[in-house]
Each structure stands twice: as C-alpha cells, then as structure tokens.
Amino acid sequence: MLAIKTLMNIQKELKAPKNQFNKFGGYHYRNCEDILEALKPLLESNNAVVTLTDDVVYIDGRHYIKATATLHCFDDNQTKAISVSALAREEETKKGMDASQISGAASSYARKYALNGLFAIDDTKDSDT
C-alpha cells in the first residue's frame, strides 16, 4: 500500500508544464528533463526516488529502446516499487545524427513516455502523439 499511496500523492501534486517550444511544428511540449525537474522536490517530500533504465529490444526487424521508470518508496520498515515501461523505435538514419545520437533521442522519448505513464501525465493534446 505504501507505493500506491506515495504514487497517488505525487500524481496529485505533480505539475510539469510544457515549457519547450517547437518552432517548426508550432507547439509547446515538455521533455524528460522538465518532468524530472518538477518531480525531484515531490520525491524528496514523499521519501521516494525514481530510477530510469533502458534496454534495447529487437521486434520485427527493428531496434527499439525500452525505457522503464521505477518509483521506489521508503519508510522505516519497508521498500516498495512500481514500474512502467515505454518503447521508442530507433530510426535507421536521421539527418545530422550519428548512431549514438539516434539511440539517445529514442531513449529520451521512451523515458518521457514511461514517466508519463507512471505519473499519469496526459500528452494527448501534443502534436507528437
């Protein structure tokens, strides 16, 4: 119950505004860093931490980054965790990017959506959905 109550408190309090602007697309958005910055004070006040991990998975001839966001909740007697994962496909090529940058972009995207899933952040009005 500890993890669910902590998650509920953080979901209720978390405000991660769309402070980034895509000039080409003409829309505001939030990135992974924006979510993490808004999240850090809430983690501290709720005695919790979040970790982000990536795995490379191969599905139907394509490489994907599987990001997992895990909320670890602590009290004097126990530690509990809740995780959510999200996938982002790596493009084979992207103009102006080398292979590591392509993987990094896919990781950032997957991590953002894993955090969105874990903390109930709605991005349905974004142009990138």
Side-chain angles (χ1 to χ4, degrees), residues 24-45:
F24 179 76
Y27 60 91
H28 287 89
Y29 66 98
R30 71 180 65 82
N31 60 23
C32 183
E33 292 82 7
D34 295 330
I35 297 168
L36 291 172
E37 282 305 309
L39 189 56
K40 287 175 185 178
L42 300 176
L43 292 169
E44 183 178 7
S45 66

mmCIF file of all heavy atoms in Angstrom, residues 24-45:
data_model
loop_
_atom_site.group_PDB
_atom_site.id
_atom_site.type_symbol
_atom_site.label_atom_id
_atom_site.label_comp_id
_atom_site.label_asym_id
_atom_site.label_seq_id
_atom_site.Cartn_x
_atom_site.Cartn_y
_atom_site.Cartn_z
ATOM 1 N N PHE A 24 9.341 24.671 -35.550
ATOM 2 C CA PHE A 24 8.952 24.069 -36.829
ATOM 3 C C PHE A 24 7.496 23.624 -36.796
ATOM 4 O O PHE A 24 6.735 23.881 -37.716
ATOM 5 C CB PHE A 24 9.872 22.879 -37.150
ATOM 6 C CG PHE A 24 9.527 22.198 -38.432
ATOM 7 C CD1 PHE A 24 9.854 22.768 -39.656
ATOM 8 C CD2 PHE A 24 8.875 20.975 -38.435
ATOM 9 C CE1 PHE A 24 9.529 22.133 -40.849
ATOM 10 C CE2 PHE A 24 8.543 20.340 -39.614
ATOM 11 C CZ PHE A 24 8.879 20.926 -40.830
ATOM 12 N N GLY A 25 7.104 22.941 -35.720
ATOM 13 C CA GLY A 25 5.734 22.435 -35.606
ATOM 14 C C GLY A 25 4.759 23.424 -34.999
ATOM 15 O O GLY A 25 3.547 23.252 -35.092
ATOM 16 N N GLY A 26 5.278 24.460 -34.322
ATOM 17 C CA GLY A 26 4.418 25.474 -33.729
ATOM 18 C C GLY A 26 3.642 24.998 -32.509
ATOM 19 O O GLY A 26 2.505 25.405 -32.310
ATOM 20 N N TYR A 27 4.261 24.152 -31.668
ATOM 21 C CA TYR A 27 3.549 23.676 -30.485
ATOM 22 C C TYR A 27 4.483 23.655 -29.278
ATOM 23 O O TYR A 27 5.700 23.617 -29.401
ATOM 24 C CB TYR A 27 2.951 22.277 -30.714
ATOM 25 C CG TYR A 27 3.968 21.211 -31.045
ATOM 26 C CD1 TYR A 27 4.568 20.453 -30.051
ATOM 27 C CD2 TYR A 27 4.318 20.945 -32.369
ATOM 28 C CE1 TYR A 27 5.499 19.481 -30.352
ATOM 29 C CE2 TYR A 27 5.243 19.967 -32.681
ATOM 30 C CZ TYR A 27 5.826 19.235 -31.662
ATOM 31 O OH TYR A 27 6.746 18.272 -31.964
ATOM 32 N N HIS A 28 3.875 23.700 -28.096
ATOM 33 C CA HIS A 28 4.600 23.589 -26.834
ATOM 34 C C HIS A 28 4.628 22.125 -26.423
ATOM 35 O O HIS A 28 3.706 21.368 -26.716
ATOM 36 C CB HIS A 28 3.914 24.412 -25.740
ATOM 37 C CG HIS A 28 4.109 25.881 -25.926
ATOM 38 N ND1 HIS A 28 3.242 26.644 -26.673
ATOM 39 C CD2 HIS A 28 5.077 26.711 -25.488
ATOM 40 C CE1 HIS A 28 3.661 27.898 -26.677
ATOM 41 N NE2 HIS A 28 4.773 27.967 -25.967
ATOM 42 N N TYR A 29 5.682 21.750 -25.709
ATOM 43 C CA TYR A 29 5.793 20.374 -25.228
ATOM 44 C C TYR A 29 6.670 20.359 -23.973
ATOM 45 O O TYR A 29 7.287 21.353 -23.611
ATOM 46 C CB TYR A 29 6.395 19.467 -26.311
ATOM 47 C CG TYR A 29 7.831 19.782 -26.669
ATOM 48 C CD1 TYR A 29 8.880 19.053 -26.122
ATOM 49 C CD2 TYR A 29 8.154 20.825 -27.539
ATOM 50 C CE1 TYR A 29 10.204 19.348 -26.440
ATOM 51 C CE2 TYR A 29 9.473 21.118 -27.862
ATOM 52 C CZ TYR A 29 10.487 20.379 -27.311
ATOM 53 O OH TYR A 29 11.788 20.660 -27.622
ATOM 54 N N ARG A 30 6.662 19.218 -23.301
ATOM 55 C CA ARG A 30 7.580 19.005 -22.177
ATOM 56 C C ARG A 30 8.498 17.863 -22.554
ATOM 57 O O ARG A 30 8.122 16.984 -23.316
ATOM 58 C CB ARG A 30 6.825 18.710 -20.880
ATOM 59 C CG ARG A 30 6.176 17.356 -20.839
ATOM 60 C CD ARG A 30 5.436 17.071 -19.538
ATOM 61 N NE ARG A 30 4.306 17.919 -19.303
ATOM 62 C CZ ARG A 30 3.089 17.733 -19.832
ATOM 63 N NH1 ARG A 30 2.866 16.736 -20.658
ATOM 64 N NH2 ARG A 30 2.111 18.541 -19.557
ATOM 65 N N ASN A 31 9.723 17.897 -22.049
ATOM 66 C CA ASN A 31 10.633 16.798 -22.307
ATOM 67 C C ASN A 31 10.899 16.043 -21.003
ATOM 68 O O ASN A 31 10.364 16.397 -19.945
ATOM 69 C CB ASN A 31 11.920 17.286 -22.982
ATOM 70 C CG ASN A 31 12.688 18.295 -22.161
ATOM 71 O OD1 ASN A 31 12.548 18.361 -20.944
ATOM 72 N ND2 ASN A 31 13.504 19.093 -22.819
ATOM 73 N N CYS A 32 11.708 15.019 -21.087
ATOM 74 C CA CYS A 32 12.021 14.191 -19.923
ATOM 75 C C CYS A 32 12.632 15.026 -18.799
ATOM 76 O O CYS A 32 12.271 14.876 -17.630
ATOM 77 C CB CYS A 32 12.965 13.062 -20.352
ATOM 78 S SG CYS A 32 13.390 11.898 -19.056
ATOM 79 N N GLU A 33 13.537 15.929 -19.162
ATOM 80 C CA GLU A 33 14.187 16.771 -18.150
ATOM 81 C C GLU A 33 13.187 17.664 -17.421
ATOM 82 O O GLU A 33 13.315 17.874 -16.206
ATOM 83 C CB GLU A 33 15.282 17.632 -18.797
ATOM 84 C CG GLU A 33 16.467 16.838 -19.302
ATOM 85 C CD GLU A 33 16.246 16.198 -20.681
ATOM 86 O OE1 GLU A 33 15.220 16.457 -21.342
ATOM 87 O OE2 GLU A 33 17.115 15.404 -21.084
ATOM 88 N N ASP A 34 12.194 18.171 -18.133
ATOM 89 C CA ASP A 34 11.166 19.008 -17.497
ATOM 90 C C ASP A 34 10.396 18.211 -16.447
ATOM 91 O O ASP A 34 10.101 18.713 -15.358
ATOM 92 C CB ASP A 34 10.172 19.540 -18.536
ATOM 93 C CG ASP A 34 10.796 20.488 -19.535
ATOM 94 O OD1 ASP A 34 11.758 21.194 -19.188
ATOM 95 O OD2 ASP A 34 10.307 20.524 -20.689
ATOM 96 N N ILE A 35 10.042 16.986 -16.793
ATOM 97 C CA ILE A 35 9.305 16.131 -15.852
ATOM 98 C C ILE A 35 10.165 15.840 -14.629
ATOM 99 O O ILE A 35 9.702 15.952 -13.485
ATOM 100 C CB ILE A 35 8.857 14.825 -16.542
ATOM 101 C CG1 ILE A 35 7.876 15.130 -17.673
ATOM 102 C CG2 ILE A 35 8.226 13.873 -15.518
ATOM 103 C CD1 ILE A 35 7.605 13.957 -18.600
ATOM 104 N N LEU A 36 11.433 15.484 -14.846
ATOM 105 C CA LEU A 36 12.309 15.154 -13.727
ATOM 106 C C LEU A 36 12.538 16.350 -12.809
ATOM 107 O O LEU A 36 12.559 16.194 -11.579
ATOM 108 C CB LEU A 36 13.639 14.607 -14.245
ATOM 109 C CG LEU A 36 13.551 13.232 -14.907
ATOM 110 C CD1 LEU A 36 14.879 12.874 -15.556
ATOM 111 C CD2 LEU A 36 13.119 12.168 -13.916
ATOM 112 N N GLU A 37 12.688 17.547 -13.363
ATOM 113 C CA GLU A 37 12.876 18.742 -12.531
ATOM 114 C C GLU A 37 11.652 19.012 -11.672
ATOM 115 O O GLU A 37 11.770 19.383 -10.505
ATOM 116 C CB GLU A 37 13.215 19.957 -13.388
ATOM 117 C CG GLU A 37 14.650 19.972 -13.848
ATOM 118 C CD GLU A 37 15.661 19.881 -12.709
ATOM 119 O OE1 GLU A 37 15.570 20.657 -11.737
ATOM 120 O OE2 GLU A 37 16.548 19.014 -12.792
ATOM 121 N N ALA A 38 10.462 18.835 -12.234
ATOM 122 C CA ALA A 38 9.234 19.038 -11.461
ATOM 123 C C ALA A 38 9.051 17.935 -10.415
ATOM 124 O O ALA A 38 8.463 18.163 -9.351
ATOM 125 C CB ALA A 38 8.033 19.076 -12.403
ATOM 126 N N LEU A 39 9.569 16.775 -10.703
ATOM 127 C CA LEU A 39 9.395 15.598 -9.848
ATOM 128 C C LEU A 39 10.309 15.581 -8.623
ATOM 129 O O LEU A 39 9.919 15.115 -7.546
ATOM 130 C CB LEU A 39 9.650 14.357 -10.709
ATOM 131 C CG LEU A 39 9.358 12.982 -10.168
ATOM 132 C CD1 LEU A 39 7.910 12.874 -9.719
ATOM 133 C CD2 LEU A 39 9.665 11.946 -11.240
ATOM 134 N N LYS A 40 11.515 16.102 -8.753
ATOM 135 C CA LYS A 40 12.518 15.979 -7.685
ATOM 136 C C LYS A 40 12.064 16.471 -6.317
ATOM 137 O O LYS A 40 12.245 15.766 -5.313
ATOM 138 C CB LYS A 40 13.825 16.650 -8.108
ATOM 139 C CG LYS A 40 14.570 15.854 -9.147
ATOM 140 C CD LYS A 40 15.803 16.579 -9.645
ATOM 141 C CE LYS A 40 16.460 15.806 -10.771
ATOM 142 N NZ LYS A 40 17.641 16.503 -11.312
ATOM 143 N N PRO A 41 11.459 17.659 -6.181
ATOM 144 C CA PRO A 41 11.020 18.081 -4.845
ATOM 145 C C PRO A 41 9.920 17.181 -4.273
ATOM 146 O O PRO A 41 9.863 16.957 -3.060
ATOM 147 C CB PRO A 41 10.489 19.500 -5.051
ATOM 148 C CG PRO A 41 10.811 19.894 -6.436
ATOM 149 C CD PRO A 41 11.257 18.701 -7.189
ATOM 150 N N LEU A 42 9.065 16.643 -5.139
ATOM 151 C CA LEU A 42 7.993 15.762 -4.679
ATOM 152 C C LEU A 42 8.542 14.420 -4.221
ATOM 153 O O LEU A 42 8.023 13.815 -3.276
ATOM 154 C CB LEU A 42 6.958 15.566 -5.786
ATOM 155 C CG LEU A 42 6.268 16.837 -6.272
ATOM 156 C CD1 LEU A 42 5.339 16.534 -7.429
ATOM 157 C CD2 LEU A 42 5.530 17.518 -5.140
ATOM 158 N N LEU A 43 9.575 13.948 -4.884
ATOM 159 C CA LEU A 43 10.213 12.702 -4.449
ATOM 160 C C LEU A 43 10.795 12.866 -3.053
ATOM 161 O O LEU A 43 10.601 12.017 -2.180
ATOM 162 C CB LEU A 43 11.303 12.293 -5.443
ATOM 163 C CG LEU A 43 10.824 11.867 -6.819
ATOM 164 C CD1 LEU A 43 11.997 11.745 -7.776
ATOM 165 C CD2 LEU A 43 10.032 10.567 -6.745
ATOM 166 N N GLU A 44 11.488 13.979 -2.844
ATOM 167 C CA GLU A 44 12.090 14.214 -1.532
ATOM 168 C C GLU A 44 11.027 14.297 -0.441
ATOM 169 O O GLU A 44 11.160 13.659 0.607
ATOM 170 C CB GLU A 44 12.910 15.500 -1.559
ATOM 171 C CG GLU A 44 13.611 15.768 -0.246
ATOM 172 C CD GLU A 44 14.474 17.014 -0.265
ATOM 173 O OE1 GLU A 44 14.447 17.760 -1.259
ATOM 174 O OE2 GLU A 44 15.184 17.224 0.732
ATOM 175 N N SER A 45 9.973 15.049 -0.676
ATOM 176 C CA SER A 45 8.948 15.213 0.358
ATOM 177 C C SER A 45 8.128 13.946 0.590
ATOM 178 O O SER A 45 7.495 13.807 1.635
ATOM 179 C CB SER A 45 8.024 16.390 0.022
ATOM 180 O OG SER A 45 7.278 16.120 -1.146
#
